[in-house]
């Protein structure tokens, strides 16, 4: 495979979120959605990562300042193909993987499998999935692994709307096919430049387009409402709990909230109804009683924290016992 570039589309407003905040800045387990996607992108070690911003760009770009990514601005919302082309100036050759800033549940294993699929065919490839209710999604019209067309919901016929195989938006475009984006025309009801119309352009030139089916739709679909945001938080919460248990942490209940950047050492035991926020680091052999809240703090090894305790912005020394109903903060706060 040639060198890989990753473009993350993050310019949308997200009308259904009913919020003044840019959609990609809504948090999943304490981290903006765009942060989760950028982390997965970095795990692929690409040549370049470009984030395309638009609505609320100031907030998004402020968050990304320390992320070592390029930022391109889509000043007008003219569609996904137009958004992708704004990133062209940062792409100095190589294939392009397109991700979305509102798909925070995407797993690195899924992306690696998709890249392997792509390398087998070396053709424009889209990641597809199947849903019970495809309303609102672009339908993938396929013959086995071949995509004949992708039709957006607003432009689909009644027969096409019955198709339940949908386009996730995630795709890979070979270096030699990237110029085809400039041939896309806004021939649709919204008058936008759809990235999916690269299928039509490519097929006219005799090129094949491949569809890689992913069985777990929840992981690869965008978040468009507060209900979907809650559902995604629940999925990510369970992933966090499973990860910590796999690393040797004992959890006595699933009613425990651990944000994405929290670190917990082995043989630590956590009782129910406890919450861990921000950059908290917990050592080995710690016991944390029920109904405890710890925020941006360091808990060293062999600490015992009795229940109903709040600790914020502090370090607790090794072998300390913190009594129940304690509230510990820096002086003056």
């Amino acid at each position: 495979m040639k060198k890989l570039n990753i473009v993350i589309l993050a310019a949308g407003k997200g009308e259904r979120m009913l919020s003044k905040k840019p959609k990609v800045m809504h948090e999943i387990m304490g981290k903006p959605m765009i942060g989760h996607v950028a982390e997965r992108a970095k795990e692929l070690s690409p040549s370049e990562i470009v984030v395309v911003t638009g609505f609320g760009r100031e907030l998004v770009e402020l968050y990304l300042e320390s992320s070592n990514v390029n930022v391109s601005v889509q000043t007008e919302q003219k569609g996904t193909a137009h958004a992708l082309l704004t990133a062209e100036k940062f792409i100095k050759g190589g294939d392009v993987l397109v991700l979305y800033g509102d798909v925070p549940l995407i797993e690195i294993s899924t992306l690696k499998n998709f890249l392997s699929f792509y390398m087998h065919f070396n053709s424009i490839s889209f990641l597809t999935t199947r849903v019970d209710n495809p309303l609102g999604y672009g339908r993938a019209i396929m013959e086995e692994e071949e995509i004949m067309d992708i039709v957006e919901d607003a432009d689909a016929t009644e027969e096409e709307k019955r198709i339940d195989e949908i386009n996730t938006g995630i795709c890979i475009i070979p270096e030699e096919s990237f110029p085809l984006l400039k041939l896309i025309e806004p021939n649709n009801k919204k008058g936008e430049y759809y990235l999916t119309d690269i299928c039509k352009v490519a097929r006219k030139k005799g090129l094949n387009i491949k569809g890689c089916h992913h069985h777990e739709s929840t992981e690869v679909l965008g978040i468009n409402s507060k209900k979907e945001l809650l559902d995604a938080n629940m999925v990510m919460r369970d992933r966090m709990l499973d990860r910590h248990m796999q690393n040797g942490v004992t959890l006595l209940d699933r009613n425990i909230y651990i944000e994405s950047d929290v670190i917990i050492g082995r043989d630590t035991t956590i009782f129910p109804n406890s919450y861990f926020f921000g950059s908290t680091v917990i050592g080995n052999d710690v016991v944390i009683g029920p109904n405890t809240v710890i925020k941006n703090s360091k808990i060293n090894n062999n600490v015992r924290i009795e229940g109903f305790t709040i600790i914020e912005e502090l370090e607790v020394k090794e072998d300390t016992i913190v009594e129940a109903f304690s509230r510990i903060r820096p002086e003056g706060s």
Side-chain angles (χ1 to χ4, degrees), residues 47-87:
S47 298
E48 299 289 345
I49 298 175
V50 186
V51 178
V52 179
T53 62
F55 175 78
R57 53 174 290 220
E58 296 82 8
L59 276 177
V60 180
E61 291 171 15
L62 181 64
Y63 174 75
L64 292 171
E65 271 185 355
S66 61
S67 297
N68 194 30
V69 301
N70 300 299
V71 173
S72 179
V73 180
Q74 186 186 26
T75 54
E76 297 180 79
Q77 306 297 298
K78 292 184 177 181
T80 46
H82 175 261
L84 182 53
L85 281 170
T86 67

Side-chain angles (χ1 to χ4, degrees), residues 55 58 70 112 176-177 185 230 236 264 275 278 291 307:
F55 175 78
E58 296 82 8
N70 300 299
K112 287 181 177 179
E176 58 272 18
S177 295
E185 297 182 355
L230 170 61
M236 189 68 81
I264 305 175
Y275 299 80
N291 300 291

Side-chain angles (χ1 to χ4, degrees), residues 158-218:
E158 288 305 313
E159 182 179 355
E160 290 167 340
K161 287 182 178 181
R162 287 193 286 271
I163 296 171
D164 61 1
E165 188 78 15
I166 64 164
N167 168 44
T168 68
I170 296 169
C171 65
I172 305 177
I173 302 174
E175 178 180 1
E176 58 272 18
S177 295
F178 196 83
L180 298 179
L181 291 167
K182 297 177 181 178
L183 302 180
I184 293 173
E185 297 182 355
N187 297 328
N188 52 72
K189 291 181 180 178
K190 292 185 177 180
E192 294 183 352
Y193 296 86
Y194 291 156
L195 175 54
T196 50
D197 280 347
I198 197 172
C199 298
K200 294 181 176 69
V201 174
R203 289 189 66 78
K204 285 179 181 178
K205 293 187 174 293
L207 300 175
N208 294 325
I209 301 93
K210 298 296 182 179
C212 177
H213 175 82
H214 186 65
H215 65 281
E216 183 52 64
S217 62
T218 302

Side-chain angles (χ1 to χ4, degrees), residues 114-125:
F114 184 40
L115 286 170
S116 295
F117 174 92
Y118 164 75
M119 286 187 284
H120 180 72
F121 295 103
N122 198 34
S123 299
I124 298 169
S125 300

Side-chain angles (χ1 to χ4, degrees), residues 253-272:
D253 194 277
R254 279 199 171 268
N255 192 21
I256 295 169
Y257 178 90
I258 306 173
E259 288 192 341
S260 303
D261 292 333
V262 172
I263 299 171
I264 305 175
R266 289 186 177 181
D267 292 317
T268 285
T269 301
I270 302 175
F271 282 71

